[in-house]
Amino acid sequence: MTETYDNWINGAFLAPRAGKRMVTTNPYSGDVWAEVADDADAVDQAVQAARSAFNDGPWATMSGRERARLMRKLGELLTRDAEALAQIETRDNGKIIRETTAQAKSLESYLDYFAGMADKIVGQQIPSPTPNFLVYTERVPKGVIGAIIPWNSPLALLTWKLGPLLAAGCTAVIKPSDITPVTALLLAERAAEAGFPPGVINVVTGGAEVGAAISSHPGIDKITFTGGGATARHVAKAAAENLTPAVLELGGKSPQIIFSDADPEAATNGLLAGIFAASGQTCVAGSRAYIHADIAEDVISRVVGRAGELVMGDPSDVATEMGPAASDGQRDRILGMIDAARDEGATIAAGGVVDPDLGGRFVRPTVITGVDNQSSIVREEVFGPVLTVMTFTDEDEVVKLANDSDYGLAAGVWTNDIRLGHRMARKLEVGTVWINTYRNVSYMAPFGGFKQSGYGKDNGLEALDGFLQTKTVWVELEGATRDPFVIG
Ligand code: NAD
């Protein structure tokens, strides 16, 4: 039976005024399982609610300690309901239950970390040019934040933004992806249960029109967006019309560099996990492998062998290692890019097709050789289980190959030479480098891209900074006179 969800505005579910709705589908079964609001007019209602909460509600005068208490309570409630939330995420985007469960259980740690900062936001006392002034700064919240979220890790990526913005004292209008609209609503419902005042967290579901209404709304003080580069350009342009700043967390084409001294088994595991985890539908997918020629044959045969053995199937089964693509459109895009690589003369060493037994949206883990850095499959983000493999012979050559990309989100380096590892970290033009590991993230570690992978950071101390602004206060203490017509 189809479930129906309204928007969450000002602390309650609110039906879309025009009654416009859209459906959400289970990518494994193909069944429509829920219907949600898709009404761009609701954005204005949500912005008004967020503005009132920011300016006049109890949130406006709440101490950092009290904000932290609410955030921690929300974290506890999300952990309490983690299993159920994970089931819904898996139902909505087809990600394996092992990952959605781990992510749902991690949300509390993100809220807890940022809650710890809520009562430690301090300004500075600034030295005065003359003794008769007291000059100081205050760190104040940015205001109403528009948060636009993708479908691949809906709750996790939302919480990466929510933690710091709530700690800062901001309020939010959130738009989850049209592919995964439900869990953000459930998070907002739990925020009310935790005691958050109405209007602090608002969720408006829907598609591009709703996203565009948020990015162009003059009542929004900052946009935080995670998604693809093409959408980001629309968001940045719309925000720029109002001079609204934006954080953009975008895609990648991340290199995995394996030197000849690397442990081949560990590197193989890293390559497989880097690209086939989440069916490659992760921004940090390690999609370009560069393997030293001396060990290339060995590592490629291990990767191809293991790619053929990955357990695909029902994503809600804990034994499943790889689920389906999240939508028909996503599957068609992945297959189209594999076909284009074939047409350009690449060799499909593994996969390259829809699984003959499972059919539907299950694209087999794919390994492609016979490509160079100009091949479209090496340059463009696939956002699917597709690994390209090239070889190299020396450090300078691989640095050039790895950096020859429009993207700069992350990179993996596999070597036992400590100096080489750190040298590579220094030379790679990316936001995150993993050495002898891959795909680690933490609330404590800033995360975000270089180049076309975006700007601004989620996580870590910097993320809080992004939701604060500095106010400078000058106080004249002694009634001394100065020429009011001269600045100084
Ligand atoms: P997307 O760009 O298609 O959608 C992202 C969000 O933008 C969705 O909520 C969507 O409904 C909304 N949107 C669509 N059109 C809009 C418009 N015109 N104006 C405003 N909003 C609009 O991305 P996606 O397919 O949901 O997610 C996949 C992409 O996200 C990949 O490129 C992936 O690499 C990237 N991603 C980046 C990170 C990161 O932290 N860097 C994390 C996860 C995913």
Side-chain angles (χ1 to χ4, degrees):
M1 211 184 69
T2 311
E3 297 172 24
T4 300
Y5 293 90
D6 291 328
N7 288 318
W8 182 272
I9 296 175
N10 210 22
F13 283 112
L14 189 67
R17 278 192 209 144
K20 222 180 128 202
R21 291 188 176 276
M22 65 190 298
V23 296
T24 181
T25 307
N26 176 335
Y28 173 61
S29 67
D31 297 337
V32 166
W33 76 274
E35 205 177 69
V36 297
D38 180 16
D39 180 0
D41 286 351
V43 169
D44 195 51
Q45 288 173 284
V47 172
Q48 282 180 35
R51 176 62 56 197
S52 312
F54 183 75
N55 286 348
D56 308 316
W59 185 251
T61 50
M62 195 177 276
S63 68
R65 183 158 179 249
E66 182 61 8
R67 286 201 304 278
R69 197 186 63 74
L70 296 180
M71 291 170 68
R72 291 203 171 94
K73 182 71 192 161
L74 172 59
E76 281 167 26
L77 296 177
L78 293 171
T79 298
R80 179 196 72 188
D81 296 339
E83 307 275 350
L85 292 166
Q87 295 280 353
I88 294 173
E89 293 229 313
T90 292
R91 189 184 306 157
D92 237 2
N93 67 7
K95 235 181 177 185
I96 59 172
I97 193 74
R98 272 152 57 182
E99 177 145 337
T100 53
T101 305
Q103 283 189 339
K105 287 183 176 165
S106 78
L107 304 176
E108 183 174 1
S109 61
Y110 283 77
L111 289 165
D112 192 41
Y113 171 73
F114 285 105
M117 295 182 200
D119 58 356
K120 296 169 193 69
I121 296 167
V122 292
Q124 286 182 316
Q125 190 246 306
I126 308 291
S128 163
T130 49
N132 59 319
F133 290 109
L134 169 66
V135 188
Y136 63 90
T137 61
E138 283 189 317
R139 299 287 282 151
V140 298
K142 270 269 182 204
V144 175
I145 308 298
I148 303 177
I149 312 294
W151 48 263
N152 62 323
S153 295
L155 273 180
L157 295 174
L158 169 56
T159 306
W160 288 14
K161 297 179 184 309
L162 212 46
L165 79 83
L166 293 172
C170 295
T171 60
V173 175
I174 296 158
K175 192 198 92 62
S177 166
D178 35 322
I179 295 174
T180 51
V182 175
T183 48
L185 295 163
L186 301 180
L187 179 146
E189 196 182 20
R190 275 142 194 80
E193 185 183 344
F196 276 89
V200 175
I201 296 174
N202 306 277
V203 180
V204 183
T205 58
E209 236 179 89
V210 173
I214 292 177
S215 358
S216 62
H217 201 293
I220 285 184
D221 299 303
K222 181 159 187 172
I223 302 281
T224 176
F225 170 86
T226 302
T231 315
R233 282 175 176 75
H234 292 297
V235 170
K237 277 185 201 153
E241 278 298 319
N242 297 318
L243 299 180
T244 306
V247 164
L248 304 176
E249 300 288 356
L250 313 180
K253 192 74 197 175
S254 299
Q256 286 256 53
I257 301 163
I258 301 168
F259 284 95
S260 55
D261 69 330
D263 172 348
E265 188 54 20
T268 301
N269 286 336
L271 276 181
L272 290 162
I275 186 65
F276 298 134
S279 309
Q281 301 171 135
T282 161
C283 54
V284 294
S287 50
R288 290 187 288 149
Y290 296 101
I291 309 178
H292 193 280
D294 289 353
I295 57 161
E297 205 182 316
D298 176 25
V299 174
I300 294 170
S301 78
R302 288 172 195 249
V303 169
V304 167
R306 295 271 298 281
E309 292 163 4
L310 285 178
V311 181
M312 297 182 81
D314 183 347
S316 62
D317 182 339
V318 284
T320 298
E321 292 173 319
M322 222 181 92
S327 65
D328 287 342
Q330 188 62 17
R331 176 207 50 210
D332 295 344
R333 198 181 114 79
I334 298 167
L335 294 175
M337 292 180 80
I338 296 171
D339 284 345
R342 232 188 241 114
D343 292 346
E344 287 175 32
T347 303
I348 313 299
V353 291
V354 164
D355 188 282
D357 300 323
L358 296 164
R361 294 170 174 165
F362 285 89
V363 180
R364 292 287 320 158
T366 300
V367 181
I368 299 184
T369 58
V371 289
D372 62 32
N373 249 28
Q374 301 318 312
S375 310
S376 53
I377 198 82
V378 178
R379 302 211 72 81
E380 291 165 24
E381 184 184 39
V382 179
F383 219 58
V386 180
L387 178 70
T388 62
V389 182
M390 289 169 55
T391 60
F392 70 95
T393 50
D394 77 59
E395 183 183 334
D396 287 346
E397 177 195 4
V398 79
V399 168
K400 277 204 192 88
L401 288 168
N403 285 340
D404 174 23
S405 170
D406 295 336
Y407 294 105
L409 190 58
V413 177
W414 298 83
T415 177
N416 283 318
D417 177 342
I418 192 168
R419 294 162 74 199
L420 173 60
H422 285 294
R423 248 185 352 258
M424 290 298 293
R426 190 173 278 181
K427 291 176 184 172
L428 290 167
E429 297 162 356
V430 296
T432 296
V433 178
W434 289 294
I435 301 177
N436 294 330
T437 181
Y438 203 78
R439 218 163 161 250
N440 308 77
V441 289
S442 153
Y443 40 85
M444 290 180 282
F447 181 84
F450 288 9
K451 303 200 274 190
Q452 301 220 350
S453 293
Y455 40 80
K457 294 286 180 199
D458 282 338
N459 297 332
L461 297 173
E462 279 181 61
L464 177 75
D465 222 47
F467 295 112
L468 294 167
Q469 52 195 345
T470 300
K471 180 180 285 185
T472 305
V473 182
W474 289 72
V475 189
E476 210 288 319
L477 299 173
E478 291 170 13
T481 53
R482 57 179 278 272
D483 182 347
F485 292 98
V486 176
I487 190 167

